[in-house]
Amino acid sequence: VQLVESGGDSVQAGGSLRLSCQASENRDKYACMGWFRQSPGKGREGDARISSDGSTKYGDFVDGRFMISVDKAKNFVYLQMNNLKPEDTAMYYCAATGGPCSWLGTDYAFRGQGTQVTVS
């Protein structure tokens, strides 16, 4: 199983980015997929997750600014990020699990290499 992220970039505060995650297998094989961030000096934090029934949850710090979505036909999971803040600067990872959704990154058996987002 491979997950490949893309879409990270350097943007100014208030800007938007859309992160993409391409899975090597059909999305339906995973019970849950999520986006996590990690920045220097901080642990991994969960931004968004989407379960196989389409229900979504977001980290409190997202505050309505992000949206996770799935394109099942193309095996893509997206994270639309709006009104970006400097504190959103981090490496963003796509993750997948055959188990139930959680905010613990260690519960996700599969993870990509990450894509860097820098907000100034």
Side-chain angles (χ1 to χ4, degrees):
V1 175
Q2 288 187 325
L3 302 172
V4 180
E5 303 95 334
S6 62
D9 205 345
S10 296
V11 297
Q12 292 188 336
S16 298
L17 284 175
R18 189 176 80 155
L19 305 184
S20 300
C21 171
Q22 184 170 22
S24 59
E25 297 185 13
N26 190 283
R27 184 265 176 271
D28 286 337
K29 288 184 178 291
Y30 314 117
C32 188
M33 297 191 73
W35 284 95
F36 292 80
R37 65 171 72 181
Q38 189 153 19
S39 53
K42 285 189 175 182
R44 194 175 305 166
E45 299 176 288
D47 287 81
R49 66 194 202 204
I50 183 166
S51 61
S52 55
D53 66 2
S55 60
T56 58
K57 283 187 181 285
Y58 297 89
D60 291 340
F61 53 86
V62 168
D63 198 23
R65 300 178 296 130
F66 297 176
M67 185 175 74
I68 188 170
S69 62
V70 172
D71 183 335
K72 290 187 178 183
K74 297 180 181 179
N75 296 343
F76 272 90
V77 179
Y78 302 102
L79 184 67
Q80 177 67 42
M81 305 191 296
N82 300 321
N83 191 20
L84 284 161
K85 304 175 182 180
E87 50 264 43
D88 294 319
T89 295
M91 184 72 78
Y92 284 75
Y93 298 93
C94 173
T97 178
C101 280
S102 84
W103 285 127
L104 290 177
T106 52
D107 286 345
Y108 292 74
F110 310 105
R111 194 186 81 169
Q113 294 299 306
T115 186
Q116 178 68 38
V117 172
T118 303
V119 185
S120 59

